[in-house]
């Protein structure tokens, strides 16, 4: 897999978690051909770049992309008056978000962990859908993006 393919795979994996558990979804754009990444835009129009510097370790790339998407999500949630916590720690909801990390750095898995206990909550890309209904389905995500782009014309 080439660098762009690895980044695309990592981004799609993290966005699966975002759709599962975040009420705010990004408008994703590739604004500049020179930028090796994408821009995530929130409902208020603010944006955050997500990029990757592959180093040959897919789990490290996945955790790096997850960190950047998490930064966007926390800002977007705060901007919408929502608790600025994503992904929510199942043991400590609304206290702190889970942290992206890699278990066994050389050949390990990229995972979401509780920063307080170090317990693994899920592999990145495998967060369960939110019980509270905060997340949205893939179909709603696609529909929401299409509607946003119409408003921007």
């Amino acid at each position: 897999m080439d660098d762009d393919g690895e980044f695309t795979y990592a981004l799609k994996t993290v966005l699966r978690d975002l759709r599962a558990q975040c009420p705010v979804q990004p408008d994703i754009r590739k604004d500049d051909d020179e930028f090796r990444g994408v821009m995530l835009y929130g409902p208020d129009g603010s944006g955050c770049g997500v990029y990757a510097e592959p180093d040959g370790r897919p789990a490290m790339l996945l955790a790096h992309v997850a960190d950047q998407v998490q930064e966007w999500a926390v800002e977007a949630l705060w901007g919408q008056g929502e608790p600025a916590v994503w992904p929510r720690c199942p043991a400590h909801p609304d206290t702190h978000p889970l942290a992206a990390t890699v278990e066994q750095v050389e050949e390990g898995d990229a995972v979401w962990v509780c920063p307080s206990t170090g317990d693994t909550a899920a592999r990145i890309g495998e967060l369960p859908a939110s019980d509270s209904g905060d997340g949205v389905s893939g179909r709603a995500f696609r529909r929401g993006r299409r509607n946003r782009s119409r408003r921007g014309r």
Side-chain angles (χ1 to χ4, degrees), residues 17-26 40-46 48 68-89 94 96-98 130 132-136:
D17 284 347
L18 193 69
R19 284 190 304 272
Q21 294 196 359
C22 189
V24 179
Q25 296 297 302
L40 305 183
Y41 289 96
D44 65 357
S46 63
C48 178
Q68 294 172 81
V69 172
Q70 182 179 42
E71 182 178 328
W72 174 86
V74 167
E75 292 294 323
L77 287 164
W78 182 84
Q80 294 297 300
E82 298 281 339
V85 178
W86 181 83
R88 288 187 176 147
C89 177
D94 296 328
H96 58 252
L98 295 170
S130 173
S132 66
D134 287 345
V136 295

Side-chain angles (χ1 to χ4, degrees), residues 52-148:
E53 296 179 15
D55 69 354
R57 297 178 291 177
M60 293 297 287
L61 173 64
L62 186 52
H64 177 71
V65 170
D67 279 338
Q68 294 172 81
V69 172
Q70 182 179 42
E71 182 178 328
W72 174 86
V74 167
E75 292 294 323
L77 287 164
W78 182 84
Q80 294 297 300
E82 298 281 339
V85 178
W86 181 83
R88 288 187 176 147
C89 177
H92 311 104
D94 296 328
T95 303
H96 58 252
L98 295 170
T101 192
V102 176
E103 293 180 328
Q104 303 168 357
V105 175
E106 288 303 313
E107 297 293 327
D109 289 328
V111 294
W112 294 111
V113 300
C114 172
S116 294
T117 65
D119 292 339
T120 298
R123 293 169 82 187
I124 294 175
E126 297 180 4
L127 283 175
S130 173
D131 291 336
S132 66
D134 287 345
V136 295
S137 70
R139 182 178 301 147
F141 173 65
R142 286 189 294 277
R143 184 172 54 248
R145 285 194 58 206
R146 192 167 41 246
N147 289 342
R148 264 197 293 280

